[in-house]
Amino acid sequence: MKELMDAYREQGAPQDQQMLIALLREIQDQNGGVLSEEALEAVAQAYEIRQTLLLALIRRVPSLRLQQAPHRLELCVSCPKGRELRAWVERTWRVKPGDCCPSAGFCYRTVPCLHNCANGPSLRWDGQLYSNATKELILRLAQGRK
């Protein structure tokens, strides 16, 4: 891991956020598709940056996944039905936008618009767009069924 971080440092990480994201993707690929707490601590220490910076990057990049919550739920809240789903998700899993819910296996955020209004409410699960979203769909996704 040290050699990997040294190689990315030579390419501009951590100052170049794209290189830092590329490093996190590579670490994730080597760790079974998720970023562990230990890996994040190692990167933060090696680059002398705060772990909160890494967590902020992870929240912004849908392909990056934390070990505690390997999936990403993004819910469009531009329509009334989307706002109803938001209230249900937040009540059901006791989360707020930006939170991770390890028990359900996802990090959650809301987005103002997914540009799919004609087929709303809409959501993205791990970057894949779903139209006409329902509570049942979200439950199936959280349980690993599509």
Side-chain angles (χ1 to χ4, degrees), residues 12-33:
Q15 292 80 12
D16 182 338
Q17 282 191 359
Q18 294 306 314
M19 285 294 107
L20 188 54
I21 291 168
L23 168 66
L24 292 172
R25 281 190 179 121
E26 195 161 337
I27 292 170
Q28 177 176 281
D29 289 344
Q30 292 177 2
N31 289 305

Side-chain angles (χ1 to χ4, degrees), residues 73 75 85 88-89 93 121-125 128-146:
L73 170 63
L75 189 57
L85 279 177
W88 178 79
V89 166
W93 283 289
S122 300
L123 65 85
R124 271 194 303 241
W125 182 264
Q128 181 178 346
L129 181 67
Y130 290 85
S131 301
N132 303 307
T134 62
K135 297 173 189 176
E136 293 76 22
L137 171 65
I138 297 170
L139 286 171
R140 281 195 321 269
L141 292 168
Q143 293 168 353
R145 302 173 305 163
K146 292 187 180 190

Side-chain angles (χ1 to χ4, degrees), residues 46-95:
Y47 288 146
E48 297 178 352
I49 57 176
R50 292 188 177 152
Q51 204 166 340
T52 53
L53 170 67
L54 296 174
L55 293 171
L57 282 174
I58 292 166
R59 279 194 288 273
R60 275 192 20 232
V61 180
S63 62
L64 294 175
R65 299 182 178 142
L66 294 171
Q67 184 173 25
Q68 65 191 27
H71 299 285
R72 178 94 37 126
L73 170 63
E74 296 174 286
L75 189 57
C76 179
V77 294
S78 63
C79 68
K81 288 184 180 182
R83 290 188 290 277
E84 287 174 24
L85 279 177
R86 173 187 182 169
W88 178 79
V89 166
E90 292 176 8
R91 191 173 55 252
T92 301
W93 283 289
R94 296 182 182 173
V95 293

